[in-house]
Amino acid sequence: MKINLSIIIPVYNAKETLARSLESINNQIMTLKNLKVEIIIVVDDGKNYKNIIPTMKKNFFIKIVKTNGNKTGPGNARNFGIKEAKGQFIGYLDADDEWSENYLKNMYKIVKKFGLALSETRVYDGKKLIDQFKGNNKNYLSLKDIGEIPCSFHPFVKKKNQIKFENLSSQDVYNTAYLLNKKNKKLQITKDAYYKMNLQTKSVTTEEGFSHKVNLAYKKYQIKSLKLRNIKIARVFAVRRIINKKFLEWNKNNNKSFYKFLRWRNKNNEREKSVHF
């Protein structure tokens, strides 16, 4: 059986959220009758998730694999999923997030045309929309946007173009920056479809020391990119480090989440000046 698309879902302590994420795939509006999708659930906590997986609709096939340990990290889990993937294209979904109902149809259409597809990201706290993030140029996302809009974007990509994920914080951001830089141009994003990021009480962004850990990762990506002469990617992480520092300063008087800081920043048009090397 030919698989068109492999969806990789890293799983860690996700028994309360995984079924909802999978149902968002089940609820997709499908017009491509011959599309075959495998959903690779990569378990990184050694737990059994079989009893909470809903019955998937026709053309969606579940595959469960385990990493080589417990809490090895989302980058390592994604790499395990890539090795297992049989699809021509690869997509990503986190085990506590969801897709809008027309996400798959729109993303697949774009990835077939360009080899890379991206959508806007909307961040929710329960049913409340915190903010939505997309490029400054309507309907397009550029490498510069990845620096100035410090949230995660989750691409669909041709498998042969997918690189190995780093085992550091924000490895998904580096992956997106690398893929966009390879295209060397802005990319059309999906219309009227979005990736739904759900904030959790135990979200990584709320953990103590999160900003410090992210800054160290950004610094490593910045140095790596400079060594590889990928100046545009290095600039992305320089800008992200500036924003992270501003969040720490802002949070001294606010004590709120990183995404609420981003909402405040967007409302006040707090954009970063160009960073040059």
Side-chain angles (χ1 to χ4, degrees):
M1 178 180 63
K2 180 182 177 181
I3 299 294
N4 305 100
L5 176 68
S6 301
I7 304 300
I8 298 172
I9 306 179
V11 170
Y12 180 81
N13 284 350
K15 289 208 169 185
E16 294 181 1
T17 62
L18 179 60
R20 181 184 64 194
S21 297
L22 292 172
E23 285 293 5
S24 80
I25 298 178
N26 253 344
N27 293 334
Q28 292 299 301
I29 297 173
M30 299 291 293
T31 56
L32 303 170
K33 294 181 180 179
N34 296 322
L35 179 65
K36 305 293 184 185
V37 180
E38 67 173 354
I39 301 165
I40 305 174
I41 298 171
V42 188
V43 179
D44 198 30
D45 59 9
K47 297 178 181 178
N48 186 349
Y49 285 85
K50 289 183 180 179
N51 63 340
I52 64 169
I53 294 175
T55 300
M56 303 303 293
K57 292 181 179 178
K58 185 179 179 181
N59 294 353
F60 293 142
F61 308 95
I62 295 285
K63 180 190 294 184
I64 301 176
V65 299
K66 292 186 178 181
T67 63
N68 54 347
N70 288 335
K71 202 176 182 180
T72 64
N76 183 59
R78 289 186 174 108
N79 289 334
F80 263 79
I82 292 168
K83 289 178 183 177
E84 292 287 332
K86 304 299 182 186
Q88 180 184 4
F89 302 100
I90 295 176
Y92 298 93
L93 176 64
D94 284 351
D96 52 2
D97 294 336
E98 299 168 73
W99 290 347
S100 65
E101 63 182 9
N102 53 355
Y103 185 88
L104 178 55
K105 179 180 70 174
N106 283 271
M107 289 284 281
Y108 189 66
K109 180 180 179 181
I110 292 177
V111 77
K112 283 202 303 179
K113 184 176 181 179
F114 298 108
L116 179 65
L118 291 160
S119 74
E120 70 173 279
T121 295
R122 296 186 185 181
V123 181
Y124 283 80
D125 187 355
K127 294 183 178 181
K128 182 180 179 181
L129 176 63
I130 298 297
D131 214 334
Q132 54 195 91
F133 301 99
K134 54 185 176 180
N136 293 320
N137 187 339
K138 187 178 180 182
N139 298 326
Y140 288 89
L141 195 68
S142 70
L143 188 59
K144 184 179 179 182
D145 292 323
I146 304 302
E148 293 185 347
I149 308 171
C151 71
S152 294
F153 293 93
H154 300 263
F156 278 18
V157 59
K158 187 175 288 189
K159 185 184 177 183
K160 69 177 185 179
N161 295 335
Q162 178 61 68
I163 61 172
K164 184 178 179 180
F165 281 84
E166 301 284 337
N167 203 20
L168 295 169
S169 297
S170 298
Q171 29 67 42
D172 52 340
V173 177
Y174 180 80
N175 176 64
T176 302
Y178 177 91
L179 293 172
L180 263 178
N181 187 57
K182 191 172 183 178
K183 284 292 181 183
N184 199 29
K185 61 181 180 181
K186 62 186 180 181
L187 184 76
Q188 178 184 346
I189 63 173
T190 59
K191 293 182 179 179
D192 305 318
Y194 58 91
Y195 183 98
K196 182 180 179 183
M197 180 183 293
N198 295 311
L199 293 184
Q200 306 295 325
T201 304
K202 296 181 180 180
S203 170
V204 173
T205 61
T206 64
E207 291 179 359
E208 186 176 350
F210 163 76
S211 293
H212 176 66
K213 186 186 295 185
V214 164
N215 184 63
L216 290 177
Y218 287 169
K219 185 177 181 180
K220 289 182 179 179
Y221 296 140
Q222 187 180 350
I223 292 171
K224 177 179 179 177
S225 301
L226 287 171
K227 287 181 178 179
L228 295 173
R229 300 185 183 277
N230 291 330
I231 305 302
K232 291 181 180 180
I233 298 180
R235 187 178 293 118
V236 164
F237 290 101
V239 171
R240 279 184 169 245
R241 290 180 70 192
I242 292 170
I243 296 171
N244 190 49
K245 184 178 179 181
K246 289 189 174 184
F247 165 65
L248 290 173
E249 294 171 352
W250 176 85
N251 206 38
K252 289 178 182 177
N253 299 319
N254 293 277
N255 194 28
K256 294 182 178 180
S257 75
F258 180 70
Y259 288 105
K260 288 184 179 178
F261 159 73
L262 293 183
R263 188 176 188 182
W264 168 86
R265 175 174 168 269
N266 286 343
K267 282 185 175 180
N268 290 275
N269 200 26
E270 292 282 330
R271 291 295 182 186
E272 314 313 319
K273 294 181 180 179
S274 297
V275 176
H276 302 282
F277 297 99

